[in-house]
Amino acid sequence: MKNNKNSGSVSWESPSNIALIKYWGKKGNQLPCNPSISMSLKNSLTRTKLTYKPNGKEPLSFLFEGKKQSSFEQRITKFIKNLSDHFKFLTDYQLSISSENTFPHSTGIASSASAMSSLALCLCSMEEEIAGVKMVEDEFYRKASFIARLGSGSASRSVYGGFAAWGESNSFSKSSDEYAVPFSKYTHPVFQDFQDAILLVSSKKKEVSSSAGHQLMENHPYATARFAQANKHFERMLGVLRSGDLEDFIEIMENEALSLHGLMMNSTPSFTLLKPNTLELIERIRSFRLGSNVPVGFTLDAGPNIHLLYPKSEKERVVPFIDSELSQFLENGKYIVDEKGEGPQKIKM
Ligand code: DP6
């Protein structure tokens, strides 16, 4: 890298991810109560540009899709204020940040994962430019994942393409609560081109924020059992990703999604985020699978929309099934076609 810079711009594009084993419950400073693993997406991305100049006393400015967005601006300002231990230079610079998503608003796609990971990557690139020193690649991504985690837990996993695991587990020696680690190099070829059709049941704003959701686990009567289950599922899922056993993959993934919703339903306060159409879709997916032997399964985030996962080789059978049987239960018949992605990209400025 050439000379160090005093002002400039950096930009990254980073994906959303869909968790196969769910992070639900946190402790300390954004540490997970159990390990999780997710698949990074290809088309659902946030592009963030960070411009820096020295010694500004003006507050950080944030534009989302060209417009001021104060709720996110406040969240980012707080996030950046708390990073001075990790980026000593930050207090000496004035930052302007702008970001945009490639996916439409309110689709229930986890935008904090792509937003916070792209911002964390920008901050790590800014650090490199200011110091005029390039970090070793592994260290760069580890730091970006660590920083992303402080912004949003699931964002720690979006720093890597393919599959990424976050949270300490005896079954994965490299795992850590502090940052995510890539898992792709161990995965079976059947997962190579894995597809994710995001079936939009409702685009209404989430009824429970993730932070409020995680809090529900603090005094949850089933917390101990849930964390034990998640650890077991995590270990089994790592085995399945290596072996390519799609029957087990689907069983664990669906069980995780329904556990998450079960936990929300019997929390105090209680949330029922599944809609009647979500349940209709689940029944139809299961009966299609039984009747056709097509290895297609679902998962859900903390909302009513379904992620339908399947190997690309089954596309010719799954897409007609979505169009003929499922789309009638979707908001305006809409779904988003996505698939496993290769991870974030730095954008040349
Ligand atoms: C249900 O990462 O959005 O999507 O750390 O508070 O930002 P914060 O929470 P967030 O929680 C994601 C919850 C989930 C499951 C998952 O992605 O693992």
Side-chain angles (χ1 to χ4, degrees):
M1 189 175 270
K2 14 180 221 325
N3 294 334
N4 52 331
K5 284 195 186 168
N6 229 348
S7 59
S9 291
V10 289
S11 180
W12 277 86
E13 137 181 314
S14 186
S16 180
N17 68 70
I18 178 67
L20 307 171
I21 305 298
K22 307 292 179 183
Y23 147 54
W24 198 241
K26 57 175 146 179
K27 56 189 183 192
N29 188 13
Q30 285 277 107
L31 300 170
C33 291
N34 64 263
S36 59
I37 187 157
S38 60
M39 181 175 91
S40 290
L41 300 180
K42 185 175 184 176
N43 303 327
S44 306
L45 310 165
T46 299
R47 264 187 218 117
T48 295
K49 180 176 165 195
L50 168 69
T51 302
Y52 58 93
K53 59 181 188 195
N55 285 331
K57 287 281 166 266
E58 289 190 22
L60 172 150
S61 81
F62 175 75
L63 294 181
F64 180 69
E65 299 187 341
K67 292 195 200 98
K68 218 167 165 56
Q69 232 228 24
S70 27
S71 61
F72 217 64
E73 188 172 78
Q74 279 164 20
R75 182 168 171 187
I76 288 183
T77 304
K78 194 169 154 217
F79 167 61
I80 295 210
K81 261 205 183 120
N82 289 331
L83 291 180
S84 50
D85 279 353
H86 309 293
F87 295 118
K88 299 263 181 275
F89 56 85
L90 270 181
T91 43
D92 301 331
Y93 286 86
Q94 188 173 319
L95 307 181
S96 329
I97 300 166
S98 60
S99 83
E100 56 195 29
N101 291 343
T102 57
F103 47 92
H105 283 303
S106 318
T107 49
I109 294 179
S111 59
S112 67
S114 51
M116 286 300 179
S117 57
S118 57
L119 178 56
L121 287 154
C122 284
L123 289 164
C124 290
S125 289
M126 174 184 169
E127 179 175 44
E128 284 192 332
E129 287 194 355
I130 287 174
V133 181
K134 233 176 154 32
M135 277 188 245
V136 175
E137 195 173 289
D138 282 5
E139 277 170 26
F140 178 89
Y141 285 105
R142 186 172 307 155
K143 179 156 186 180
S145 177
F146 174 97
I147 298 294
R149 179 204 106 221
L150 296 173
S152 175
S154 55
S156 65
R157 301 182 309 236
S158 278
V159 162
Y160 298 105
F163 297 91
W166 170 47
E168 229 166 273
S169 160
N170 292 336
S171 48
F172 192 26
S173 61
K174 296 192 177 101
S175 62
S176 167
D177 279 353
E178 306 270 341
Y179 48 80
V181 286
F183 190 74
S184 295
K185 74 172 172 204
Y186 310 106
T187 55
H188 189 275
V190 75
F191 297 108
Q192 188 50 44
D193 297 317
F194 233 59
Q195 303 291 298
D196 179 6
I198 307 166
L199 309 177
L200 303 174
V201 171
S202 166
S203 59
K204 282 213 188 99
K205 206 173 145 7
K206 286 206 277 186
E207 282 167 52
V208 54
S209 71
S210 301
S211 316
H214 290 289
Q215 260 175 34
L216 298 174
M217 288 310 289
E218 278 170 22
N219 290 308
H220 199 288
Y222 299 156
T224 310
R226 162 59 193 160
F227 301 139
Q229 176 199 45
N231 272 284
K232 258 198 204 126
H233 278 168
F234 179 82
E235 183 171 355
R236 282 183 64 199
M237 186 56 90
L238 296 192
V240 161
L241 289 172
R242 288 188 179 104
S243 71
D245 183 336
L246 290 178
E247 209 173 301
D248 271 13
F249 175 82
I250 290 168
E251 184 198 304
I252 304 164
M253 173 174 73
E254 293 189 351
N255 196 303
E256 273 291 303
L258 296 175
S259 288
L260 170 72
H261 282 267
L263 290 163
M264 280 189 274
M265 284 195 254
N266 62 15
S267 297
T268 313
S270 152
F271 294 93
T272 50
L273 305 186
L274 300 176
K275 299 286 177 214
N277 280 354
T278 315
L279 295 173
E280 182 70 46
L281 292 165
I282 289 176
E283 302 226 320
R284 283 176 184 250
I285 293 162
R286 286 183 162 171
S287 86
F288 171 72
R289 184 167 71 230
L290 215 61
S292 66
N293 272 328
V294 172
V296 53
F298 66 85
T299 186
L300 298 143
D301 267 343
N305 301 322
I306 286 196
H307 288 248
L308 192 64
L309 271 68
Y310 58 95
K312 194 171 191 172
S313 56
E314 299 290 352
K315 205 168 177 167
E316 253 111 81
R317 295 210 280 172
V318 175
V319 172
F321 161 64
I322 299 175
D323 292 337
S324 65
E325 273 209 55
L326 304 185
S327 65
Q328 58 188 308
F329 301 104
L330 305 181
E331 197 175 74
N332 305 318
K334 273 206 326 223
Y335 62 97
I336 294 176
V337 176
D338 215 327
E339 61 184 308
K340 181 164 84 55
E342 296 308 310
Q345 288 276 335
K346 190 170 185 193
I347 299 165
K348 282 212 175 80
M349 298 303 300

